[in-house]
Amino acid sequence: MGPGLMVCFADTDGPCLLTAAASGAEFKYKLLMLQIVLAPVLFVAQELTVRLGLLRGKGVVGLLKADVGKIWAWLVALPLLVSCFFGLLSEYSAIGQTMTFWGWPVWVTNTCITFMLLVLALSGSYNCAEKVGLTLGACQVLLFITMFMAKPEGNLLLEQLVEFPFQDPDYVKLVTANIGAVIMPWMLAYQQSAICDKGLSEGGAEHLLIERIDTFVGSFLTQGVMAAMLVTIGAAIRPKESVDTVDDLLTIFARVLGSVNGAKWLLTFAIVGACMVAAIVQTLTASWVLEEVWNEGPSSSSERNTGFFHIRQNIQARPIFYMAYLVVCGVAFVVTVATSNAVDLSVTTQFVNGCLMPPVVFALWFLSAFRLPEEYRLRCFYKWFAFALFAICSGFCLVSIAFSF
């Protein structure tokens, strides 16, 4: 257990929570059904990474390199790296905005983020990073409490649950934005590589059931968090109010909780927790991708020395991983400090993920349908059902780009 739950916690990062909040602010509960429907979509995509990681023992880029050549591996690796980088910038930015509640300068906040990420990497232990990530990600469940404290009107919720005003361009934009936020390229690559790094692939098929359960629970929990944010804002929003920034969330949550300080603490735990687990996932994914495309990695953490007394040995054994990790964290730090977190990265990140998701998701589909042992391949109806589902999601992601500008 672990990789599936962690990557799904990372799915509800700062930009995704703001998307759910904006959905509730503008259309109350009319996008709630979408959150419910997207849970199984997320599971279908992530379950493919479980099959491939456990049964083939390599990440998606490593499998493409082995099965169809280095050129195809690079064609998927490059979108993954770009997606990770833009995602990491968004996490730094969202955490920086949240910590201004407490008067923290951007450079102090970003120094703390970078230090924590580097410490986790230098420990050499995936299990350590996973435990920290799961602990931070679990802070998101606080939103389930606010959902009830906001006292949504039951009759209105049930009525709007089945209302779909597709004639409204703003509604279509938010539908596509929510769909585009569900399956992000770095999520898909992370879980597969994490299964290998954790050593679960050594047991192969015997871990298949438990990892599927892990992924199933994570998929529905993460969409539950999105629904909780949507319902909280939908119930508490006042006429002519909007949600564009973390400060707007603070105003609404202070009203729900009856305390500004209480709202500050809750949003700090929820948003910073969500963004930190996403940042851990993105930095690890970027480093694993480069390691896979250049070498055979990622290796199992059980084969490595862990702890800070073995830093030098680990760096010498995995120079590409640590060099990539340091560069990604360093560039994200410099960019976000230089812009003082004032730049809105949400549209850019959505644009990048919308463009880059299709090659990654269809690479996973191809490998699951044609490159697994016969008894574990996608078959018949489910194979083409998954293909159609990914085609629809990819189409909506591309449409969301047009509506974003």
Side-chain angles (χ1 to χ4, degrees):
M1 294 286 282
L5 193 57
M6 181 154 168
V7 77
C8 289
F9 273 145
D11 187 31
T12 45
D13 60 356
C16 289
L17 290 176
L18 280 172
T19 297
S23 300
E26 193 162 350
F27 292 100
K28 284 191 173 289
Y29 314 118
K30 295 177 183 178
L31 283 155
L32 182 57
M33 180 61 77
L34 180 64
Q35 306 303 331
I36 298 170
V37 170
L38 289 177
V41 175
L42 180 59
F43 172 74
V44 169
Q46 294 297 137
E47 192 271 340
L48 298 186
T49 69
V50 171
R51 297 189 195 206
L52 292 167
L54 289 175
L55 300 169
R56 293 292 307 275
K58 294 182 179 180
V60 60
V61 172
L63 285 181
L64 288 171
K65 179 182 174 183
D67 288 6
V68 294
K70 201 166 185 176
I71 293 178
W72 287 100
W74 272 110
L75 288 176
V76 172
L78 290 175
L80 283 171
L81 292 171
V82 173
S83 176
C84 287
F85 179 68
F86 276 93
L88 189 61
L89 291 182
S90 295
E91 313 312 337
Y92 268 78
S93 181
I95 295 173
Q97 290 177 39
T98 304
M99 293 308 295
T100 59
F101 293 166
W102 308 102
W104 284 36
V106 171
W107 71 269
V108 172
T109 299
N110 289 3
T111 299
C112 292
I113 298 169
T114 305
F115 177 77
M116 183 175 178
L117 292 173
L118 290 175
V119 166
L120 288 174
L122 291 172
S123 73
S125 170
Y126 169 78
N127 286 332
C128 177
E130 183 178 84
K131 289 174 183 176
V132 172
L134 289 174
T135 301
L136 292 170
C139 295
Q140 301 171 44
V141 301
L142 293 170
L143 293 173
F144 289 115
I145 299 173
T146 64
M147 177 176 65
F148 292 103
M149 292 183 68
K151 299 178 180 178
E153 186 180 337
N155 290 335
L156 181 62
L157 189 152
L158 292 174
E159 178 184 330
Q160 294 190 346
L161 192 64
V162 291
E163 289 185 15
F164 312 104
F166 286 106
Q167 71 278 5
D168 189 331
D170 291 332
Y171 182 82
V172 175
K173 178 180 177 180
L174 280 171
V175 169
T176 53
N178 277 277
I179 293 176
V182 171
I183 308 175
M184 290 179 277
W186 49 265
M187 287 178 56
L188 299 170
Y190 170 83
Q191 186 170 0
Q192 188 170 333
S193 294
I195 286 172
C196 302
D197 194 274
K198 196 174 181 179
L200 297 177
S201 59
E202 296 168 9
E206 69 183 58
H207 294 296
L208 196 55
L209 177 60
I210 194 68
E211 289 304 312
R212 280 173 169 165
I213 293 173
D214 181 38
T215 302
F216 180 86
V217 172
S219 299
F220 281 84
L221 183 58
T222 191
Q223 287 307 113
V225 169
M226 292 283 282
M229 174 64 88
L230 185 151
V231 171
T232 300
I233 300 301
I237 196 77
R238 289 177 177 175
K240 297 184 179 180
E241 270 190 324
S242 62
V243 177
D244 300 310
T245 66
V246 176
D247 288 330
D248 296 328
L249 284 180
L250 177 61
T251 300
I252 296 172
F253 273 80
R255 190 159 60 241
V256 171
L257 299 176
S259 167
V260 173
N261 281 333
K264 285 182 179 180
W265 280 110
L266 185 142
L267 287 174
T268 298
F269 277 108
I271 294 177
V272 173
C275 291
M276 278 305 304
V277 68
I280 292 169
V281 167
Q282 290 155 357
T283 47
L284 285 174
T285 300
S287 303
W288 281 333
V289 164
L290 279 174
E291 191 174 39
E292 288 169 9
V293 81
W294 285 110
N295 298 319
E296 296 298 322
S299 61
S300 168
S301 58
S302 62
E303 300 171 2
R304 301 193 297 268
N305 295 315
T306 58
F308 296 104
F309 294 106
H310 302 285
I311 290 176
R312 183 176 179 181
Q313 295 97 310
N314 287 333
I315 292 176
Q316 289 175 340
R318 305 177 72 195
I320 294 175
F321 175 88
Y322 286 103
M323 185 182 302
Y325 202 99
L326 180 62
V327 169
V328 169
C329 291
V331 173
F333 173 85
V334 171
V335 170
T336 50
V337 169
T339 59
S340 297
N341 283 4
V343 62
D344 181 8
L345 297 170
S346 58
V347 173
T348 304
T349 302
Q350 183 182 355
F351 177 87
V352 170
N353 283 330
C355 286
L356 303 181
M357 187 196 78
V360 178
V361 76
F362 283 111
L364 286 171
W365 178 85
F366 167 77
L367 291 169
S368 299
F370 301 104
R371 300 292 178 168
L372 282 174
E374 186 68 34
E375 63 270 30
Y376 297 108
R377 290 181 185 177
L378 298 180
R379 294 184 181 184
C380 304
F381 171 79
Y382 189 71
K383 177 170 71 174
W384 297 110
F385 171 76
F387 182 90
L389 202 61
F390 297 152
I392 292 170
C393 289
S394 298
F396 269 109
C397 283
L398 297 175
V399 169
S400 71
I401 297 168
F403 278 100
S404 296
F405 297 95

